[in-house]
Amino acid sequence: MWPAGKHSIFLFSSFILLYLFQAPAFATKKSYIVYLGSHDHGLEVTEADFDRVTETHHELLGSHFGSSEKAKEAIFYSYTKHINGFAAILEDEEAASIAKHPSVVSVFLNQGRKLLTTHSWEFMLMEGSNGVTRPSSLFEKARFGEDTIIGHLDTGAWPESPSFCDEGMGPIPLGWRGTCPSDITGFRCNRKIIGAKYFNKGYLAHAGPIARRNVTLNTVRDYEGHGSHTLSTLGGNFVQGANVFGLGNGTANGGSPRARVATYKVCWPPIGQNECFDADILAAIDAAIYDGVHVLSLSLGGSAADYSDDVLAIGAFHAVRRGITVVCAGGNSGPVPGTVSNSAPWILTVGASALDRKFEAVVELPNGQKFKGPSFCKPLPEDKLYPLISAKEAKAVNVSSGKAELCKVGTLDPRKVKGKILVCLRGENARVEKSLVALEAGAAGMILYNNAHDAYDFELFTDPHFLPSVELAYKDGLALVAYIDSTKNPKAYLHPSKTEYNTKPSPYMASFSSRGPNTITPDILKPDITAPGVNIIAAYTEGNSPTGLASDKRRVPFITMSGTSMATPHVSGIVGLLKTLHPDWSPSAIRSAIMTTARTRDNTGTSMLDGNFKEATPFAYGSGHIRPNRAMDPGLVYDLTINDYLNFLCAIGYNQTQIKSFSGPQPYRCPDAVNILDFNYPSMTIPKLNGSITLTRRLKNVGTPGTYAARLLHVHAGLNISVEPNTLKFDKIGEEKCFRLTIEVVRPGFDTVFGGLSWSDGKHYVRSPIVVGGVMA
């Protein structure tokens, strides 16, 4: 069945970062975004034009306040370049009153979003890693994307990282309007990082006066790590000898290693669970469009919302109108169905899957048993068996066994732990905190095993623990505990970690990756694509420790992280290469090329699996795992115009006021008849089918002339599917042809089923997933 309802995206973090600011309890005003649509400045726009827009904002708000001076005090952003509107501190009644003004399209509460990493680390591809993922041929053909500019909304960058070196790069592309203002921390741009700005006024409106005194909130420099990681993943330069604690050694590079990058810092220390606020995001998107980026990458998100109520979706539409491809993370709330966010059809939405590389160590027992798990484990001080103790047996006086078993702060007796390998249960407190507790108690090493409630307990992460440590699956943990209980003198040895390549099966879906169906528009399959997002190696900040804990004084140039945050910049980098290779392709053509060339099989030749090793579905991976080399020559694409997107909004029942949020200065008139099933998306989804239905699609030739034949894939026994015509002949580039897909229920009584349609000329394979919601008996 198709689940209903909306689910929040939660940040599964292994630590809490920096500060927690709360708005004053006595505050009676809130920050709002007053959205007025878009500007049509023309090509000769000047700063004077922007100033006049700001004046109109003061006048509009002043007409409600009775004073332009009061309006100036209340407004903290004027969106003047492409997006028209302002952000201001208002009473609820004032916001409601302003919303009635004829020039106001919408008024939004300045809401928060979060970074989409499952813990605090991100990774990127290394030389020698998954050959399916690394776009070597695309690199060569696109000259590494040096003419492409990728904008990045996140926590900024650490510019001194070798990933952001500009050695060998040519002059900054003509037409770039971005800037890099002087920075109190010494942040400097170069020919790699060509733009850097920070936006914090929306955040400060929530954080209150305490935050305003924090100097780290007035810089684009990354003191968290997330931004450096994602930015280097999408556009980091080649760095030889990159590694994490000596493991995974190789040449690191981003998806577009020679692309120019511009960073727009919009995410800050958490307020509750929110780090990135809409007023700042909208200001950054407005700036990025004007600056001249070709791609926008956003590894952040929040709860799924109707598009007309979603400031990020509206901002993304402004970017797409100007030919900018917008790539967003789908969320980390999997494996729960219906949790995918950033699901607007003009956004390229990304899920996370695993690489064929692991960092693992072995736990060896005297009885010959061996258990393997993820680890950055360094050698133990002595090459010998060490005493082994369960944390619940090492509990301090007056502490319950349950709390001690979790290795919480203050629960262990150091006299029982010293010199031994401590066995802890995963859950509740951060994994890296457990290793700190073990270290402070005097343990020689730690074994952490999964709890019984994790259905995906064999999907484990590689953490930067404080002492030699290995993480085990639940069943292996039970076997280890059984051994401890069976002998009076249990012992074990932790072997040093090793890097394993070409692991199988790979790729498989990460359990945390948010799943479809799309709860806002079930007719559009989301996510669109999946890319590497588990244990990714990429650059890190020197302003934070690898664990993020204040007591951790270590600093590392590269680190591993996991999340759809990490998958998104992989796709953004590939989009950058495609943009260089095909500058005339629209954002929708680029998305189609990526989607229709994806693969749904792993390196064993069987269907891609989910995190629980059951067969995954398009609700997890969308069209499949990205294949960059295929995407550069897809043969055919499903293209879309801005009017197609506006017709989509008409088809889902938007009224003229809602459509005005997207249509620009000129009103848009909906066609007399428009069907959402005919929306020219590369995937085909029918939420619920009774009887039969016919969908229309059109394909554009972007390759050599040829004749394509249709082939249906994995048709369910309860359906009859036909394609008319079943061959399409293309004589020139840019030629478009239509086809109809008819789906009929012949045997009701099935739940949601999945199939596919492929068009091929013998060289190209243009594949689309088909999703049909079932008809129950």
Side-chain angles (χ1 to χ4, degrees), residues 2 517 522-523 525 617-619 622 683-688 695 719 743 752-756 768-774:
W2 292 64
D523 313 80
L525 178 64
T617 75
F619 283 158
S683 55
M684 301 162 191
T685 307
I686 300 93
K688 190 171 183 179
L695 299 75
L719 298 174
I743 305 174
T752 301
V753 295
F754 308 93
S768 295
I770 298 174
V771 181
V772 180

Side-chain angles (χ1 to χ4, degrees), residues 263-564:
T263 185
Y264 301 85
K265 187 174 181 178
V266 298
C267 299
W268 308 92
I271 300 175
Q273 291 187 350
N274 297 314
E275 299 154 283
C276 328
F277 284 82
D278 283 347
D280 298 327
I281 293 170
L282 200 61
I285 293 175
D286 193 34
I289 295 171
Y290 175 76
D291 290 346
V293 304
H294 302 113
V295 184
L296 268 178
S297 184
L298 295 88
S299 291
L300 52 90
S303 300
D306 192 88
Y307 311 128
S308 63
D309 297 327
D310 188 340
V311 171
L312 194 156
I314 291 172
F317 196 93
H318 281 272
V320 171
R321 282 179 67 94
R322 288 156 183 85
I324 300 168
T325 302
V326 180
V327 187
C328 292
N332 294 347
S333 295
V336 179
T339 51
V340 66
S341 65
N342 292 327
S343 58
W346 46 88
I347 291 174
L348 179 48
T349 310
V350 185
S353 45
L355 285 170
D356 63 348
R357 176 190 61 203
K358 292 182 178 179
F359 310 110
E360 293 193 320
V362 173
V363 178
E364 185 172 4
L365 305 181
N367 63 9
Q369 284 184 288
K370 294 182 180 180
F371 309 107
K372 183 185 287 189
S375 173
F376 286 134
C377 186
K378 292 185 177 181
L380 289 163
E382 297 181 60
D383 188 13
K384 67 174 187 178
L385 288 166
Y386 281 74
L388 191 62
I389 187 170
S390 170
K392 63 183 178 182
E393 299 300 327
K395 72 182 187 69
V397 178
N398 298 325
V399 173
S400 69
S401 297
K403 287 186 178 181
E405 188 177 29
L406 292 167
C407 293
K408 292 188 172 184
V409 175
T411 63
L412 303 178
D413 185 343
R415 293 171 299 177
K416 300 177 182 177
V417 175
K418 187 175 181 179
K420 299 178 182 178
I421 296 174
L422 182 69
V423 179
C424 303
L425 179 66
R426 180 177 172 181
E428 296 190 19
N429 56 327
R431 301 188 297 274
V432 290
E433 182 184 87
K434 296 174 191 288
S435 70
L436 180 60
V437 169
L439 177 69
E440 292 178 341
M446 181 188 75
I447 300 171
L448 177 65
Y449 70 98
N450 246 14
N451 57 50
H453 304 293
D454 189 350
Y456 289 68
D457 77 342
F458 35 72
E459 183 182 83
L460 303 172
F461 300 107
T462 311
D463 297 324
H465 290 297
F466 289 90
L467 74 173
S469 303
V470 181
E471 299 184 23
L472 299 181
Y474 177 63
K475 63 180 181 63
D476 290 338
L478 290 183
L480 180 65
V481 171
Y483 161 75
I484 293 173
D485 293 340
S486 69
T487 180
K488 293 181 179 179
N489 188 27
K491 293 184 178 181
Y493 183 72
L494 304 185
H495 290 270
S497 298
K498 293 183 179 180
T499 306
E500 296 186 14
Y501 297 104
N502 301 315
T503 59
K504 295 181 180 182
S506 176
Y508 61 85
M509 287 305 301
S511 63
F512 60 76
S513 188
S514 289
R515 309 302 162 99
N518 181 345
T519 57
I520 307 303
T521 314
D523 313 80
I524 303 296
L525 178 64
K526 290 285 181 171
D528 294 307
I529 197 74
T530 187
V534 177
N535 288 346
I536 305 302
I537 298 174
Y540 198 57
T541 175
E542 291 182 27
N544 197 11
S545 68
T547 61
L549 297 175
S551 57
D552 188 355
K553 304 304 179 184
R554 296 175 295 174
R555 296 295 184 267
V556 294
F558 291 88
I559 197 65
T560 58
M561 289 188 184
S562 298
T564 53

Side-chain angles (χ1 to χ4, degrees), residues 71 133 138 201 238 240-241 283 334 388 461 508 516 620 644 662 694 704 718 749:
T133 307
L138 181 54
K201 295 177 182 177
F238 297 96
Q240 295 182 353
L388 191 62
F461 300 107
Y508 61 85
D644 288 324
F662 305 91
T694 299
T704 56

Side-chain angles (χ1 to χ4, degrees), residues 118 166 205:
T118 58
D166 66 354

Side-chain angles (χ1 to χ4, degrees), residues 598-665:
R599 67 179 297 165
T600 59
R601 293 186 179 274
D602 60 28
N603 57 3
T604 70
T606 58
S607 296
M608 189 158 55
L609 300 177
D610 215 326
N612 60 1
F613 277 34
K614 295 180 180 178
E615 186 172 334
T617 75
F619 283 158
Y621 55 67
S623 293
H625 190 82
I626 193 166
R627 289 197 290 183
N629 292 337
R630 295 290 183 94
M632 68 179 171
D633 182 23
L636 308 174
V637 296
Y638 294 87
D639 209 354
L640 287 161
T641 66
I642 291 301
N643 281 355
D644 288 324
Y645 288 122
L646 294 174
N647 288 342
F648 163 82
L649 297 175
C650 296
I652 63 175
Y654 272 26
N655 57 37
Q656 286 299 312
T657 300
Q658 291 172 301
I659 292 174
K660 191 178 178 182
S661 297
F662 305 91
S663 62

